[in-house]
Amino acid sequence: ELVSNGTYQDLPDRGISKETCELYQYQTGEVYNRPSHIEHYYSNNEIVAQKIRILPKQFVWKGNKYSVDFFGQHLYKEQKRLIITEGAIDAMSIAQVLKDYDTTLVISLKEGAGQGKTIREFEQKLSFLESFEHIILCFDKDKAGETSFREVVNMFRPGLIHVVDFNKKDANEYLKVDGGEELFKEILNSSRYKPECIHAPSLISLKTPKPFGLSLPFPILNETIRG
């Protein structure tokens, strides 16, 4: 059975307000007689599962986790921009800083990052993800986050994915430091993802003629393509 004794309150150690917790259906309470955080997950506009974080960091699920939406997807109102984080705390951190739910939806993965995890979640919700005009991936700056990013970035049409170059481990680290001022700037400065194999040429390289290749028996073609 789902936990029913959770309450909404500020998360002072995370810098997250009670208002944000209520919006995202994120509660605190006791589970198995231990202080816990309770994330609610929807399917067809109905809460069907909970991810329980037994503090400090033990996770258990209640309900049916296999068919649920992303955490925070219940706030979808045909927004044009989507931000995806690894976990609920980071999603709420960004949402609290942006406070613009009409144009931007902030969600998180249900299982976090790691090899094979994220790509399975994305495949299940691919049509939903591709309905957006702009997706920003805000994964953690660690091995798991980098692995998930490499696995999913090529699933989407060119130009759809944008990235944030975090200087800290994750979004919540920014929120705890200055209330999110720097995080807000980082989100605004997100850039369109460009594969590492694509390089912008320098002016010098453009002006430097390439060596003439093997001559062809067609003068005009030979001159045009330089052998």
Side-chain angles (χ1 to χ4, degrees):
E1 295 182 359
L2 300 182
V3 176
S4 59
N5 62 349
T7 60
Y8 297 107
Q9 58 182 322
D10 294 335
L11 304 178
D13 59 327
R14 295 290 193 168
I16 295 175
S17 68
K18 177 183 177 181
E19 180 185 13
T20 301
C21 290
E22 289 176 336
L23 182 70
Y24 273 84
Q25 298 283 295
Y26 191 99
Q27 297 180 327
T28 59
E30 283 202 356
V31 180
Y32 306 125
N33 297 317
R34 293 173 60 185
S36 304
H37 289 185
I38 307 162
E39 303 171 16
H40 291 81
Y41 285 80
Y42 284 74
S43 179
N44 297 321
N45 297 315
E46 180 183 357
I47 295 174
V48 297
Q50 293 170 325
K51 184 179 180 181
I52 315 294
R53 178 175 184 150
I54 302 174
L55 299 180
K57 203 169 183 179
Q58 178 184 350
F59 294 97
V60 296
W61 280 89
K62 286 182 176 291
N64 178 17
K65 73 173 184 177
Y66 297 103
S67 61
V68 297
D69 296 332
F70 293 105
F71 176 78
Q73 190 176 330
H74 66 284
L75 299 173
Y76 176 61
K77 297 177 182 177
E78 298 186 359
Q79 294 94 330
K80 300 299 183 183
R81 182 168 72 164
L82 177 69
I83 298 177
I84 307 175
T85 68
E86 282 188 28
I89 292 293
D90 288 329
M92 292 192 296
S93 298
I94 294 176
Q96 184 169 297
V97 168
L98 293 182
K99 294 183 179 179
D100 184 5
Y101 311 117
D102 292 332
T103 61
T104 304
L105 174 66
V106 188
I107 62 174
S108 82
L109 307 172
K110 68 178 182 182
E111 294 281 17
Q115 188 171 5
K117 291 182 180 179
T118 310
I119 195 167
R120 286 195 295 269
E121 283 194 53
F122 277 27
E123 286 174 343
Q124 292 173 355
K125 302 291 183 179
L126 192 57
S127 59
F128 169 73
L129 296 172
E130 289 186 331
S131 68
F132 290 86
E133 297 178 0
H134 190 146
I135 297 177
I136 303 177
L137 296 182
C138 292
F139 294 166
D140 293 0
K141 292 195 70 173
D142 56 20
K143 184 176 180 180
E146 292 171 358
T147 297
S148 285
F149 181 84
R150 288 195 300 269
E151 285 184 342
V152 304
V153 70
N154 292 321
M155 295 175 64
F156 301 97
R157 62 182 183 272
L160 178 62
I161 299 299
H162 290 62
V163 294
V164 176
D165 187 18
F166 280 158
N167 294 316
K168 297 179 173 57
K169 178 180 179 293
D170 55 37
N172 187 245
E173 289 296 318
Y174 283 93
L175 188 66
K176 291 188 292 185
V177 170
D178 63 5
E181 183 176 341
E182 188 179 356
L183 176 60
F184 182 75
K185 294 178 181 178
E186 293 279 17
I187 297 297
L188 288 183
N189 292 328
S190 64
S191 58
R192 181 173 295 173
Y193 168 71
K194 182 182 71 174
E196 295 179 359
C197 59
I198 297 178
H199 299 278
S202 65
L203 183 60
I204 294 177
S205 68
L206 289 173
K207 288 185 173 181
T208 304
K210 293 183 178 180
F212 207 93
L214 179 66
S215 293
L216 302 171
F218 312 105
I220 297 176
L221 178 62
N222 200 48
E223 183 64 29
T224 302
I225 68 173
R226 297 181 60 77

